[in-house]
């Protein structure tokens, strides 16, 4: 794996995976653009997730719901009231920080002093943050007394009381910006699934248990976006809401934990690099019965959440349904007089209407891509003493599957064969095949190692039965063959052109 975030950031920029958003105007914090290779890698990750969670199961449906949603959706989901992070301002320079990030960034002795001021256990960081949140006035004094420094200026700050800051992006809908004509950019894809629950059930005749999967953008106005694509304001999520009969939820929760871990493994992110955090009851969101956070060991950052797998009980459908009082809901929900739909489904045994429980595996595409890149990143010292960087991506994730390289880019006999091979391999439907004539062969190999291309196919003079143009004779046995170079073993093999497609298909299966 990569040894630092720096290393990954630099590779991503150099080779065209990821760029800063709006860069030519100085950049916009928390927004990133995926370049020619980034878009391929991202699409491949999403396709692998969709294949595994929708196509390879018989109890799932897909969905693509809209990004801008009715404000009532986000009111009844609880986001208007509670989707906020506590923030503090430094009165000296008007900089604003997320409270937990600010404290985490301090030296250990400063954190210990904050903890002491708040009467919290310094070894239990969440408890320190919870104590600060619980008493804002005391928190402001504690941050000052402990000498908490401003990460921007490096000086001890004059800190305000922590205040909740709602992270949703609000936007005007229609030509008149009056009080009611606004909506929200969804902060998670999940709400589109809950609001379409009835549509999906009615149009597919699904019965419990079954799930709905969705991949899409979500938006969070993070106070302190940072750590490259780990914490961004425009993110992409891959979410499943799995609906089951109350009482069977705990079994399904374990099922999904297992499934998700094996999916990560298949993407080259082994279990040994993921810690399962069984979120302690006192840290659970109010609607969650139990949550497993999968924590991946990111370079430089250490263990941070890559996916959350939550048992959300009947909270979500219960919050969005009409006639709540008739439904024996387990979760505590706010009253809803706005919904026009009853979000129940017949119990598979009794046929009585029931509000199902929900298991939600929710993963971030950007955090997935960062983990996949980090695991694949390898620095090797070759036999000749030179060093190479190689991305050992699983072939199904590689942005470019095969690079077809004509040894001489100005010789029509060679380029026409190379172009024909490119077209044939492209037709296999494996993903992108690149016609590569941008430089000398050594440079091309180095570039394709760095971007994880599993195979490079070279068309040379021997392919045509020509002697290399320097009076060399050609081995007739090499006629109509190409050199195939393997990214991982560096072995070079001559393969007949007529057998190449089958050979590649077999290897990339
Ligand atoms: P965190 O505690 O790191 O802010 P969260 O608990 O708010 O994350 P969830 O609401 O559980 O995250 O979102 C589900 C998934 O979406 C996360 O596991 C993560 O992969 C992804 N995600 C959430 N927020 C961001 C973000 N700002 N940037 C990138 N990915 C994110």
């Amino acid at each position: 794996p990569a040894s630092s975030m720096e290393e990954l950031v630099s590779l991503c920029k150099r080779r065209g995976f990821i760029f800063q958003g709006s860069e030519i105007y100085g950049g916009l914090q928390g927004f990133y653009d995926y370049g020619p290779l980034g878009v391929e890698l991202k699409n491949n990750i999403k396709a692998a997730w969709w294949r595994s969670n929708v196509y390879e199961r018989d109890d799932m449906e897909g969905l693509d719901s809209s990004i801008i949603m009715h404000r009532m959706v986000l009111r009844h989901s609880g986001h208007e009231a509670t989707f906020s992070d506590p923030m503090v301002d430094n009165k000296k320079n008007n900089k604003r920080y997320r409270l937990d990030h600010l404290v985490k960034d301090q030296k250990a002795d400063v954190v210990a002093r904050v903890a002491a001021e708040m009467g919290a256990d310094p070894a239990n960081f969440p408890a320190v943050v919870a104590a600060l949140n619980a008493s804002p006035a005391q928190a402001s004094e504690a941050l000052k007394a402990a000498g908490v420094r401003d990460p921007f200026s490096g000086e001890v700050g004059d800190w305000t009381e922590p205040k909740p800051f709602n992270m949703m992006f609000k936007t005007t809908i229609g030509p008149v910006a009056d009080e009611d004509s606004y909506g929200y950019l969804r902060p998670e894809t999940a709400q589109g699934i809950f609001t379409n629950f009835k549509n999906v059930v009615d149009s597919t005749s699904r019965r419990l248990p079954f799930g709905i999967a969705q991949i899409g953008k979500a938006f969070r106005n993070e106070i302190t976006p940072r750590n490259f694509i780990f914490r961004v304001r425009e993110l992409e999520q891959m979410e499943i809401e799995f609906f089951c009969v109350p009482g069977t939820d705990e079994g399904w929760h374990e099922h999904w934990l297992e499934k998700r871990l094996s999916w990560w493994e298949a993407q080259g992110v082994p279990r040994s690099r993921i810690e399962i955090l069984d979120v302690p009851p006192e840290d659970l969101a109010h609607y969650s019965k139990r949550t497993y956070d999968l924590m991946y060991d990111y370079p430089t950052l250490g263990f941070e959440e890559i996916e959350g797998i939550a048992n959300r009980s009947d909270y979500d459908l219960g919050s969005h349904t009409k006639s709540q009082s008739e439904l024996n809901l387990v979760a505590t929900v706010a009253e809803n007089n706005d919904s026009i739909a009853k979000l129940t489904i017949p119990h598979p045994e009794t046929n009585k209407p029931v509000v199902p429980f929900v298991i939600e595996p929710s993963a971030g595409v950007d955090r997935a891509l960062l983990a996949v890149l980090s695991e694949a990143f390898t620095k090797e010292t070759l036999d000749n003493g030179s060093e190479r960087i190689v991305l050992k991506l699983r072939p199904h994730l590689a942005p470019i599957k095969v690079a077809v390289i004509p040894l001489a880019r100005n010789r029509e006999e060679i380029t026409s064969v190379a172009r024909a091979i490119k077209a044939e391999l492209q037709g296999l439907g494996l993903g992108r095949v690149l016609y590569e004539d941008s430089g000398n062969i050594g440079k091309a190999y180095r570039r394709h190692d760095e971007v994880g291309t599993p195979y490079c196919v070279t068309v040379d003079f021997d392919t045509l039965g020509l002697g290399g143009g320097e009076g060399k004779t050609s081995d007739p046995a090499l006629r109509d063959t190409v050199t195939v170079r393997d990214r991982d073993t560096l072995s070079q093999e001559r393969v007949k052109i007529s057998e190449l497609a089958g050979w590649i298909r077999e290897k990339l299966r």
Side-chain angles (χ1 to χ4, degrees):
S3 56
S4 74
M5 190 66 91
E6 244 69 2
E7 216 165 39
L8 285 182
V9 173
S10 134
L11 174 81
C12 283
K13 164 115 199 184
R14 186 168 74 245
R15 293 304 187 190
F17 282 92
I18 300 166
F19 309 120
Q20 175 67 60
S22 306
E23 193 175 65
I24 65 167
Y25 288 100
L28 199 52
Q29 239 193 35
F31 298 90
Y32 286 90
D33 299 337
Y34 287 80
L37 296 177
V39 61
E40 298 293 340
L41 177 55
K42 208 176 183 211
N43 284 342
N44 293 341
I45 291 172
K46 291 190 279 183
W49 186 91
W50 197 264
R51 229 174 11 249
S52 152
N53 291 300
V54 183
Y55 296 164
E56 290 172 9
R57 295 181 64 106
D58 299 313
D59 54 2
M60 293 287 296
E61 299 289 349
L63 182 77
D64 181 22
S65 68
S66 67
I67 285 171
I68 295 181
M69 301 189 85
H70 199 294
R71 61 203 168 89
M72 284 304 166
V73 174
L74 284 315
R75 172 167 305 170
H76 289 291
S77 67
H79 284 87
E80 265 190 354
T82 64
F83 193 62
S84 53
D85 278 334
M87 51 146 204
V88 286
D89 291 338
N90 180 3
K91 285 186 249 175
K92 286 185 180 162
N93 59 4
N94 292 321
K95 292 266 173 206
R96 176 170 286 183
Y97 298 95
R98 192 167 129 176
L99 178 64
D100 56 339
H101 289 170
L102 176 70
V103 179
K104 205 173 184 180
D105 282 349
Q106 304 296 313
K107 298 222 170 76
D109 59 314
V110 177
V111 179
R113 259 175 290 169
V114 173
E117 294 282 336
M118 299 306 295
D121 173 5
N124 184 348
F125 184 74
V128 176
V129 175
L132 289 166
N133 274 324
S135 347
Q138 195 193 343
S140 163
E141 294 311 316
L143 296 178
K144 290 183 229 172
V148 166
R149 289 179 185 275
D150 186 309
F152 182 76
S153 66
E155 286 164 17
V156 174
D158 182 8
W159 303 105
T160 63
E161 297 183 7
K163 270 189 301 236
F165 170 79
N166 196 296
M167 294 197 291
M168 281 197 294
F169 283 99
K170 212 174 182 181
T171 192
T172 303
I173 301 172
V176 188
D178 66 23
E179 262 181 18
D180 293 330
S181 48
Y182 67 89
Y184 293 108
L185 275 66
R186 62 185 181 197
E188 58 180 25
T189 66
Q191 295 308 319
I193 298 182
F194 300 130
T195 53
N196 280 290
F197 174 73
K198 209 172 154 25
N199 287 332
V200 174
V201 170
D202 291 349
S203 58
T204 63
S205 313
R206 282 285 178 189
R207 295 176 57 84
L208 294 182
F210 79 99
I212 302 178
Q214 170 158 238
I215 301 177
K217 292 270 176 132
F219 300 80
R220 299 180 178 192
N221 196 4
E222 298 276 357
I223 305 162
T224 23
R226 57 185 192 170
N227 298 327
F228 195 35
I229 54 169
F230 178 81
R231 185 173 302 285
V232 288
R233 290 177 165 142
E234 176 172 339
L235 55 134
E236 201 159 5
Q237 292 183 312
M238 309 183 278
E239 293 196 299
I240 294 165
E241 305 302 326
F242 194 82
F243 303 100
C244 62
V245 178
T248 65
D249 48 297
E250 291 176 10
W252 282 111
H253 200 193
E254 298 306 314
H255 166 91
W256 279 107
L257 173 62
E258 187 51 38
K259 284 285 171 201
R260 296 303 305 140
L261 287 168
S262 67
W263 184 82
W264 284 110
E265 182 108 44
Q267 313 317 312
V269 183
R271 284 171 199 235
S272 57
R273 306 263 298 138
I274 292 177
E275 262 176 20
I276 303 166
L277 175 69
D278 189 350
V279 179
E282 64 272 21
D283 296 339
L284 286 176
H286 61 287
Y287 49 76
S288 174
K289 187 168 150 185
R290 189 172 186 179
T291 295
Y292 296 124
D293 281 345
L294 305 189
M295 313 294 281
Y296 169 72
D297 192 5
Y298 285 97
T300 306
L301 312 182
F303 285 94
E304 291 282 356
E305 179 181 328
I306 187 168
E307 170 161 5
I309 306 172
N311 181 341
R312 300 177 62 103
S313 72
D314 55 5
Y315 174 81
D316 304 282
L317 293 179
S319 295
H320 286 303
T321 189
K322 67 172 186 182
S323 318
Q324 288 166 321
S325 58
E326 301 162 17
L327 298 173
N328 296 317
L329 296 172
V330 174
T332 309
V333 297
E335 191 180 347
N336 189 334
N337 296 315
D338 301 302
S339 170
I340 54 169
K342 202 161 169 180
L343 303 181
T344 61
I345 185 168
H347 189 290
E349 278 135 39
T350 65
N351 258 341
K352 292 220 177 77
V354 61
V355 178
F357 266 43
V358 173
I359 305 298
E360 178 193 72
S362 170
V365 179
D366 313 85
R367 288 185 192 181
L369 190 141
L370 195 55
V372 162
L373 273 182
S374 168
E375 282 303 311
F377 190 95
T378 314
K379 251 189 197 154
E380 281 180 353
T381 309
L382 302 178
D383 291 343
N384 66 10
S386 68
E387 200 177 67
R388 73 160 181 161
I389 292 176
V390 52
L391 276 190
K392 297 198 167 174
L393 292 168
R394 297 288 160 109
H396 72 281
L397 297 180
I400 299 169
K401 307 302 177 192
V402 183
V404 182
I405 308 171
L407 200 60
R409 66 171 134 174
N410 303 322
R411 291 285 293 264
E412 216 277 323
E413 325 84 288
I414 289 188
T415 57
S416 63
V417 173
R419 284 196 194 279
I421 290 174
K422 188 255 152 159
E424 185 189 7
L425 297 182
Q426 190 59 64
L428 297 176
L430 298 166
R432 184 158 197 208
V433 176
L434 189 76
Y435 178 81
E436 168 71 82
D437 67 349
S438 58
N440 73 40
I441 184 101
K443 272 200 183 136
Y445 284 163
R446 235 181 345 271
R447 171 166 50 246
H448 285 287
D449 281 347
E450 277 200 25
V451 307
T453 307
Y455 297 103
C456 288
V457 169
T458 305
V459 178
D460 57 17
F461 290 97
D462 287 324
T463 308
L464 303 167
L466 299 174
E470 288 148 24
K472 280 189 255 160
T473 52
S474 168
D475 180 349
L478 299 182
R479 187 156 189 151
D480 295 328
T481 68
V482 288
T483 302
V484 185
R485 175 184 181 273
D486 183 299
R487 175 194 74 195
D488 297 341
T489 65
L490 295 176
S491 71
Q492 303 205 11
E493 212 179 303
R494 292 297 294 203
V495 178
K496 283 195 185 137
I497 294 176
S498 59
E499 291 169 6
L500 183 63
W503 193 96
I504 291 283
R505 202 203 321 255
E506 194 53 34
K507 293 282 188 178
L508 290 181
R509 222 158 38 137

